[in-house]
Amino acid sequence: MIDSWDPAGPGVLRLPSGRLVRGRGLLRAYPLGPPPTFGIYLLGKPWSLAAWESRWVRWPDLWLPSDPADAGQALHEAWERAATERVELACRGGRGRTGTALACLAIIDGIPAAEAVAYVRANYDRRAVETPWQKRFVTRFAAPGPPDLN
């Protein structure tokens, strides 16, 4: 096992299981401390500037993932890897898409879907999950598989 995130570090969310995941905005200054070992980047266009292993999820700004099943698989991978690795989730601003993804991770970790947005807003960023459709995506996200949006 490697060193995890500093629980008091910027953007670090502690899930109920104890897993630590960092959310951040790519437009903000890079935080001090060790780099992630795995990152998921929630952007409308491919992004591969990371010096660590990463995965891109097509997710336009202020919207939902273009492929919800792919997003669900990526989030499950992030949750699994967060048990032993420094995992980062990021979008341009670090609130809407990142907050939505973190809320889905909270569901995977056992938080009820109806409480996941409030959990992320209380423990990550009070303005996380910016749009009504992002909030609806979270409430319809079902663990352990990809979200059911029907």
Side-chain angles (χ1 to χ4, degrees), residues 74-94:
L75 293 172
H76 281 274
E77 179 180 2
W79 182 82
E80 288 287 339
R81 293 178 77 152
T84 59
E85 298 179 52
R86 285 186 304 275
V87 174
E88 165 178 273
L89 280 74
C91 65
R92 288 177 55 88

Side-chain angles (χ1 to χ4, degrees), residues 30-44:
Y30 189 82
L32 296 175
T37 54
F38 179 68
I40 294 186
Y41 299 98
L42 315 159
L43 300 164

Side-chain angles (χ1 to χ4, degrees), residues 63-142:
W63 289 99
L64 300 175
S66 298
D67 183 343
D70 178 60
Q73 291 170 352
L75 293 172
H76 281 274
E77 179 180 2
W79 182 82
E80 288 287 339
R81 293 178 77 152
T84 59
E85 298 179 52
R86 285 186 304 275
V87 174
E88 165 178 273
L89 280 74
C91 65
R92 288 177 55 88
R95 288 197 175 106
R97 294 169 282 185
T98 298
T100 301
L102 289 171
C104 292
L105 281 183
I107 293 168
I108 294 168
D109 204 62
I111 296 281
E115 299 171 19
V117 171
Y119 182 84
V120 170
R121 286 179 175 169
N123 295 287
Y124 170 68
D125 186 308
R126 65 183 175 85
R127 294 183 289 175
V129 190
E130 294 176 310
T131 67
W133 41 93
Q134 289 173 339
K135 187 173 183 180
R136 187 170 49 248
F137 182 85
V138 171
T139 60
R140 293 181 178 177
F141 187 87

Side-chain angles (χ1 to χ4, degrees), residues 2-71:
I2 64 163
D3 291 331
S4 188
W5 295 116
D6 173 357
V12 175
L13 174 69
R14 181 183 296 278
L15 295 168
S17 66
R19 286 174 166 86
L20 300 174
V21 181
R22 182 172 76 185
R24 76 176 176 103
L26 297 171
L27 295 178
R28 298 182 191 152
Y30 189 82
L32 296 175
T37 54
F38 179 68
I40 294 186
Y41 299 98
L42 315 159
L43 300 164
K45 296 180 181 176
W47 188 80
S48 61
L49 298 176
W52 45 85
E53 188 179 355
S54 65
R55 182 170 174 175
W56 166 59
V57 173
R58 183 184 300 273
W59 195 326
D61 193 18
L62 298 173
W63 289 99
L64 300 175
S66 298
D67 183 343
D70 178 60

